[in-house]
Amino acid sequence: MEASLERIGTQIDRDLDQHIANIQSLIRQPSMSTSGGLGIREMAVRLQKAFAELGCQDTALFDTSGNPVVFGHYDTGASKTLIVYLMYDTEAVLPEEEWISPPLEANLVELPPFGRCIIGRGAVNSKGPLQAFLNTVAAIHAAGEALPVNLKFVAEGEEELGSIHVADVLQDHGASLQADALFFPAAGQQANGHTTLTLGSRTAIIFELEVNGERWGRGPSKFEIHAGSRSLVDCPVSHLLEALNCLIADNGNRILVEGFYEDVVPPNEEEEELLDRLAARWDEEAYRARLGVKAFIDGLAGRAALKRLIFEPAFNIRGIYGGDSRTGDVNVSKAIIPHRAVCKVGLSLVPDQNKVDIVEKIRAHLDRNGFADVAMRVRPDYLRDPGAWGQVSVHDDIVVAMLHTYARYGIDPEIWPRSPGGWPGYLFQHYLGIPFLSGGAGHGGGAHSSNEYLVVDGHDTVRGLADLEKSYAHMLYEYASL
Amino acid sequence: MEASLERIGTQIDRDLDQHIANIQSLIRQPSMSTSGGLGIREMAVRLQKAFAELGCQDTALFDTSGNPVVFGHYDTGASKTLIVYLMYDTEAVLPEEEWISPPLEANLVELPPFGRCIIGRGAVNSKGPLQAFLNTVAAIHAAGEALPVNLKFVAEGEEELGSIHVADVLQDHGASLQADALFFPAAGQQANGHTTLTLGSRTAIIFELEVNGERWGRGPSKFEIHAGSRSLVDCPVSHLLEALNCLIADNGNRILVEGFYEDVVPPNEEEEELLDRLAARWDEEAYRARLGVKAFIDGLAGRAALKRLIFEPAFNIRGIYGGDSRTGDVNVSKAIIPHRAVCKVGLSLVPDQNKVDIVEKIRAHLDRNGFADVAMRVRPDYLRDPGAWGQVSVHDDIVVAMLHTYARYGIDPEIWPRSPGGWPGYLFQHYLGIPFLSGGAGHGGGAHSSNEYLVVDGHDTVRGLADLEKSYAHMLYEYASL
């Protein structure tokens, strides 16, 4: 194994300029699922071709009612098979004027202290890591080595839309997708070299609540009316506020919906242990600084803060809107009573909360409290697989392999039982029964934002592109050896 | 008087085509204070010239820190002097595509059942009535009659901005503006011929409330962050909702601010009587239909509804905004915690509430209840003259003159002690001590909206332009005769 890795590493160093060029080329092909699907189809076709050129014996475009999933099977005759989950879509580039280098040019730019970086949409999320993984496979071949595991590439084009058709593909093509584990190549280091390894993913429900006068039977029904009548005419905005107030309290940090918390599972023994270890080393201040948050809910800190972050559900008002929305200039104001008001809610759930059950509980709670008129529109794809969530044990082979890999780079990652956010790995666990993990040495930043970058040169603690690719090779070999 | 009015009426009929053309010409000159002041200066200069041509011995542009007020004094040697309040600004024309005839072309269009109407921005609010009044004065001259009262024209160009500099002019030019009463020419009939006559005007406070994480010290402080952390990070939108919830209850219909209602004056004897008379004839259903409102607050009806409408203050949320405001498609949603949330409030006050006092009470109430961090931005011009409000007695000469005038047209107006909304007449009462009134036979619609129109032909109940102008002449003569 070591000799092979040595040769592969040398090959990666030798081919690095070509590997950089490959990433730049991939970024230059836009594929923005959130901007009307710009370039999505071209990217899918291109990826299928790339899988074939890499030596996949079998490739396919799995159609969905949305963007296709690109499949590639590289059977090297090994005893273990790994799904390599990839996403070929990106966020939009807006606002374009904030970029210091055009988002689709993928230029190499000096970004201290990291040296050269590739700047472009998808550089880290996730065309950079995607192509870096393909580069790694190519280097393994070029070095005359055999892949130590079979690979099944599964590249979806709707991650930025919430992976809304992955479950369909898993259901339709489950037989083709049998594997031992799933790996999602990433650049796992933060700007200071710190690295987290998350063992699980939570799920969410997205919905809108709307009050309109028509349905309410009070207030203006069809159009906004002159504010002069407010003494006698109800205001839909106020009604929405009361509906929200009946659902949540304590600045939205406590959810009042009857039965909401009853299926929340407290941390088990392994999770309590992980929490202890994580709390002992968590750089809380850096975490807060990165988010621009001065203090956490209820002034929580340390282990208690982590426990809330990982194990508690959340009711988040993503947005609220009603009436005159021109804010910031009090001289600009329309003398109206709005006829409708809407808010967007993201509900982050934890095991064993069931999404369909939770939606029913919210609806019933609203109805019971006099808000039967409040419309609740639930994003339907988020109710698919209502009980699904995912988490692997720290003792799973794929996790151990990644920890061994990180150890080679002097990286001792924080281990999080679950990530605060989510990614679709849990669906593969749900449908295929396999563990899932994301990782990789190396660093990038600006995901979803302007000036997204992937570090090419790096330094002692933040690894560059060559080490990112080598870490993927290490992970494959470590996994194969377990 | 009757012989003079006869001759003036004949003159108006004879010159009607020219009068129509005059109104069209005025509308074709845009003067939109809410659209960056488009055409405002041109209109002011034009009006000053018109006052001079009409025979005013003295005209002036009173400068303000905003748009100028145009003054014209026509001294006919009569014993009484009337201020003719005019507004030369209009709202914007947006959305332009909704107009069936271009808003600045002022075309004559057949609009059943009214016959020909002038369609254009300002047709009824209020270039139409403005020019109709000037047409009337011209007809009086052309008929060889003398004006029965002296006129002082005061035309402001910021009514649509809230008449924010009228008080300055009244303070600076009070001596020039001495008069016995104020009249605001309008087309006072509704589409069904019903007419209201309001004796007073209430005032308002406009303010914004803002929660931002920076000032709050909790939640995201400088930018929106990924929703994944919501279990541990506070949400500014929720905090704003709680602040509002501490200020109001019962769908915003009850104001919880300590001491808020203590200066509210109950109706006096004359007002109770007016309320009785108004309730006996109020077409409540038509009122609701016009507003598109199915039911009033607490299911109120009749006298109780009118009493609340006229004599109760109101807390109106004109708009609320925070985070992702793209509503109506639950599939479009940004996974963020917003870093700020804002709402716009219009507070409609009644006698003897003092605006400065009320603002202080709201601030103190927020502070006392744990919302010291909530920023409150009050529109400063709305705190000018904090105790000013206005109302005249039904027995005032100007009111009696208008009632006599309406009687000539078979119009028996509903008399409202105060209008639910407001116009700046009360400031003239406050600074000059004179009664104020608005009125006129005739009808128009679509103020602030698309397809604004003024009826030219009319029919038995809804009077046309000739009668509108004649009613102004009648009002002047009736007033002079009292």
Side-chain angles (χ1 to χ4, degrees):
Chain A
M1 164 162 124
E2 293 309 323
S4 295
L5 286 170
E6 182 85 31
R7 278 189 289 275
I8 293 165
T10 305
Q11 189 71 40
I12 287 173
D13 290 334
R14 188 179 301 148
D15 297 342
L16 194 64
D17 285 349
Q18 182 58 48
H19 289 187
I20 293 169
N22 292 345
I23 294 174
Q24 291 175 308
S25 171
L26 203 72
I27 292 172
R28 286 168 190 154
Q29 168 61 54
S31 55
M32 303 180 198
S33 56
T34 58
S35 292
L38 178 70
I40 282 287
R41 176 59 59 169
E42 291 82 348
M43 181 56 83
V45 169
R46 175 181 171 141
L47 265 192
Q48 186 182 10
K49 201 162 151 246
F51 293 161
E53 285 172 359
L54 213 53
C56 286
Q57 296 90 341
D58 186 20
T59 70
L61 287 187
F62 293 155
D63 274 324
T64 72
S65 57
N67 300 337
V69 166
V70 191
F71 174 73
H73 184 193
Y74 190 102
D75 186 353
T76 193
S79 60
K80 283 180 173 168
T81 300
L82 209 54
I83 286 180
V84 181
Y85 167 82
L86 303 166
M87 52 183 276
Y88 66 84
D89 64 323
T90 70
E91 273 282 0
V93 296
L94 296 169
E96 212 161 337
E97 65 277 11
E98 286 184 7
W99 290 72
I100 58 170
S101 172
L104 293 175
E105 284 190 11
N107 292 319
L108 273 175
V109 177
E110 196 76 25
L111 283 188
F114 305 126
R116 292 177 305 156
C117 296
I118 299 173
I119 291 193
R121 173 51 80 230
V124 68
N125 179 218
S126 9
K127 286 178 173 174
L130 185 164
Q131 183 60 49
F133 191 89
L134 302 188
N135 289 343
T136 302
V137 175
I140 291 172
H141 298 332
E145 299 293 328
L147 271 168
V149 293
N150 309 311
L151 299 180
K152 288 182 174 176
F153 296 106
V154 178
E156 71 149 320
E158 298 181 323
E159 204 278 343
E160 300 299 358
L161 299 177
S163 302
I164 48 186
H165 294 102
V166 166
D168 292 338
V169 169
L170 289 168
Q171 217 162 33
D172 294 350
H173 302 279
S176 309
L177 296 174
Q178 290 307 315
D180 298 293
L182 177 148
F183 178 64
F184 179 20
Q189 294 190 280
Q190 294 163 30
N192 58 3
H194 288 186
T195 306
T196 67
L197 190 152
T198 62
L199 301 178
S201 168
R202 44 209 270 177
T203 63
I205 306 173
I206 311 298
F207 61 89
E208 286 189 0
L209 295 179
E210 170 167 346
V211 168
N212 69 64
E214 182 79 40
R215 188 168 159 152
W216 187 20
R218 291 167 64 174
S221 57
K222 289 199 166 60
F223 41 82
E224 52 193 36
I225 67 173
H226 196 286
S229 307
R230 180 64 184 89
S231 287
L232 189 54
V233 174
D234 290 281
C235 177
V237 177
S238 287
H239 192 54
L240 177 63
L241 303 197
E242 298 213 341
L244 284 165
N245 195 50
C246 127
L247 296 174
I248 51 176
D250 300 348
N251 292 313
N253 299 335
R254 188 158 50 89
I255 301 163
L256 303 177
V257 175
E258 215 170 288
F260 182 85
Y261 291 99
E262 69 192 12
D263 293 323
V264 173
V265 176
N268 62 27
E269 209 173 316
E270 182 182 316
E271 288 165 338
E272 290 280 8
E273 267 181 49
L274 288 170
L275 213 44
D276 287 338
R277 271 191 263 164
L278 181 57
R281 54 175 298 192
W282 185 37
D283 188 344
E284 191 176 330
E285 216 163 300
Y287 189 90
R288 274 205 304 268
R290 205 167 71 235
L291 296 179
V293 169
K294 285 182 219 157
F296 292 136
I297 286 175
D298 296 334
L300 286 176
R303 193 182 195 280
L306 282 168
K307 192 168 173 181
R308 199 181 201 294
L309 177 58
I310 298 169
F311 294 97
E312 288 294 318
F315 188 106
N316 180 40
I317 301 179
R318 294 174 165 202
I320 190 161
Y321 172 80
D324 190 347
S325 63
R326 299 167 301 171
T327 62
D329 182 356
V330 75
N331 291 309
V332 173
S333 185
K334 237 168 133 183
I336 52 153
I337 309 174
H339 62 300
R340 62 191 285 267
V342 186
C343 77
K344 294 177 105 75
V345 177
L347 210 51
S348 178
L349 301 181
V350 294
D352 279 331
Q353 293 183 299
N354 179 294
K355 291 187 267 191
V356 168
D357 174 61
I358 290 291
V359 166
E360 281 169 4
K361 281 173 173 161
I362 294 173
R363 182 70 266 171
H365 190 86
L366 286 170
D367 294 349
R368 253 195 320 273
N369 286 276
F371 297 99
D373 68 276
V374 177
M376 182 177 179
R377 290 188 290 271
V378 184
R379 196 163 145 172
D381 51 282
Y382 274 72
L383 291 182
R384 174 110 200 224
D385 308 309
W389 61 279
Q391 186 168 321
V392 298
S393 164
V394 72
H395 303 297
D396 265 309
D397 282 357
I398 187 83
V399 179
V400 173
M402 196 69 228
L403 288 171
H404 287 179
T405 299
Y406 277 139
R408 287 171 179 265
Y409 295 89
I411 295 172
D412 179 20
E414 288 177 358
I415 298 177
W416 288 60
R418 282 195 293 273
S419 69
W423 64 282
Y426 78 94
L427 285 171
F428 291 79
Q429 186 177 50
H430 181 72
Y431 280 92
L432 305 178
I434 60 173
F436 60 104
L437 193 78
S438 178
H443 167 63
H448 292 207
S449 183
S450 44
N451 301 314
E452 183 177 351
Y453 65 95
L454 179 71
V455 171
V456 170
D457 287 341
H459 48 56
D460 275 359
T461 53
V462 165
R463 298 304 176 130
L465 178 61
D467 281 346
L468 177 64
E469 295 185 357
K470 288 173 197 171
S471 76
Y472 295 152
H474 292 160
M475 208 284 300
L476 297 178
Y477 277 84
E478 291 284 359
Y479 182 63
S481 76
L482 291 171
Chain B
M1 164 162 120
E2 294 309 324
S4 296
L5 285 170
E6 182 85 31
R7 278 190 289 273
I8 294 165
T10 306
Q11 189 71 40
I12 286 173
D13 290 334
R14 188 181 301 149
D15 297 341
L16 195 63
D17 284 347
Q18 182 58 49
H19 289 187
I20 294 169
N22 293 346
I23 294 174
Q24 292 175 305
S25 171
L26 204 71
I27 291 172
R28 286 167 189 156
Q29 168 61 54
S31 55
M32 304 180 197
S33 56
T34 59
S35 292
L38 178 70
I40 282 288
R41 175 61 57 168
E42 292 82 348
M43 181 57 83
V45 168
R46 175 181 172 143
L47 264 192
Q48 186 182 12
K49 201 161 151 248
F51 293 161
E53 286 171 359
L54 214 53
C56 286
Q57 297 90 341
D58 186 19
T59 71
L61 287 188
F62 294 154
D63 273 324
T64 73
S65 57
N67 301 336
V69 167
V70 191
F71 175 73
H73 184 192
Y74 189 102
D75 187 353
T76 192
S79 58
K80 283 179 173 169
T81 301
L82 209 54
I83 286 180
V84 181
Y85 167 83
L86 304 166
M87 53 182 277
Y88 66 84
D89 64 324
T90 70
E91 273 282 0
V93 295
L94 297 169
E96 212 160 336
E97 66 277 11
E98 285 185 6
W99 290 72
I100 58 170
S101 171
L104 293 175
E105 284 190 10
N107 292 319
L108 273 175
V109 176
E110 197 76 26
L111 284 187
F114 305 126
R116 291 177 306 157
C117 296
I118 299 173
I119 290 192
R121 174 52 80 227
V124 69
N125 178 221
S126 28
K127 287 178 174 174
L130 185 164
Q131 183 60 49
F133 191 90
L134 301 188
N135 289 344
T136 302
V137 176
I140 291 172
H141 298 332
E145 299 293 327
L147 271 168
V149 293
N150 309 312
L151 299 180
K152 289 183 175 176
F153 294 106
V154 178
E156 72 148 320
E158 298 181 323
E159 205 277 343
E160 299 298 0
L161 300 176
S163 301
I164 48 187
H165 293 103
V166 166
D168 292 339
V169 168
L170 289 168
Q171 215 161 34
D172 294 350
H173 302 279
S176 308
L177 296 175
Q178 288 308 314
D180 298 294
L182 176 148
F183 178 64
F184 179 20
Q189 293 190 281
Q190 294 161 31
N192 58 3
H194 289 186
T195 305
T196 67
L197 189 153
T198 62
L199 301 177
S201 168
R202 44 208 269 176
T203 63
I205 305 172
I206 311 298
F207 61 89
E208 286 188 0
L209 295 179
E210 170 169 346
V211 167
N212 70 65
E214 182 79 41
R215 187 169 158 151
W216 186 20
R218 291 166 63 173
S221 56
K222 289 199 167 60
F223 40 83
E224 52 194 37
I225 68 174
H226 196 286
S229 308
R230 180 64 183 88
S231 287
L232 189 54
V233 174
D234 290 282
C235 177
V237 177
S238 286
H239 192 55
L240 177 63
L241 303 197
E242 297 213 342
L244 284 165
N245 196 49
C246 127
L247 295 173
I248 51 177
D250 300 348
N251 292 312
N253 298 335
R254 188 159 49 91
I255 301 163
L256 304 177
V257 175
E258 214 169 291
F260 182 86
Y261 291 98
E262 71 192 10
D263 293 324
V264 173
V265 176
N268 62 27
E269 208 172 318
E270 183 181 317
E271 289 165 337
E272 291 279 9
E273 268 181 49
L274 289 170
L275 212 44
D276 286 339
R277 270 191 264 162
L278 181 56
R281 54 175 299 191
W282 186 37
D283 189 343
E284 192 176 328
E285 216 161 301
Y287 189 89
R288 275 205 303 268
R290 206 167 70 235
L291 296 179
V293 169
K294 286 182 218 156
F296 292 136
I297 286 176
D298 296 334
L300 286 176
R303 193 183 195 279
L306 282 168
K307 191 168 174 182
R308 198 181 202 292
L309 177 57
I310 297 169
F311 294 98
E312 287 294 317
F315 187 106
N316 180 40
I317 301 180
R318 294 175 165 201
I320 190 161
Y321 172 79
D324 190 348
S325 63
R326 299 168 301 170
T327 62
D329 182 356
V330 76
N331 292 309
V332 174
S333 185
K334 238 169 132 182
I336 51 152
I337 309 175
H339 63 298
R340 60 190 285 269
V342 186
C343 76
K344 294 178 104 76
V345 177
L347 209 52
S348 178
L349 301 181
V350 295
D352 281 332
Q353 293 184 298
N354 178 296
K355 290 187 266 190
V356 167
D357 175 60
I358 290 291
V359 166
E360 281 169 5
K361 281 174 173 161
I362 295 172
R363 182 71 265 172
H365 191 85
L366 286 170
D367 294 350
R368 251 195 322 273
N369 286 276
F371 298 99
D373 68 276
V374 177
M376 181 176 179
R377 289 188 290 272
V378 185
R379 195 162 147 172
D381 50 282
Y382 274 73
L383 292 182
R384 174 112 200 220
D385 308 309
W389 60 279
Q391 187 169 322
V392 298
S393 163
V394 72
H395 304 297
D396 265 307
D397 282 358
I398 187 82
V399 179
V400 174
M402 196 70 228
L403 288 172
H404 287 179
T405 299
Y406 278 139
R408 288 171 177 264
Y409 295 89
I411 296 172
D412 180 20
E414 289 177 358
I415 299 178
W416 288 61
R418 282 194 294 273
S419 69
W423 63 284
Y426 78 94
L427 284 171
F428 291 79
Q429 185 177 53
H430 181 74
Y431 279 93
L432 306 177
I434 61 173
F436 60 103
L437 194 78
S438 179
H443 167 62
H448 292 206
S449 183
S450 44
N451 301 315
E452 184 176 351
Y453 65 94
L454 179 71
V455 171
V456 170
D457 287 342
H459 48 56
D460 276 358
T461 52
V462 164
R463 297 306 177 127
L465 179 61
D467 281 347
L468 176 64
E469 296 185 356
K470 288 173 196 170
S471 75
Y472 295 152
H474 292 159
M475 205 284 300
L476 297 178
Y477 278 85
E478 291 283 359
Y479 181 65
S481 77
L482 291 171

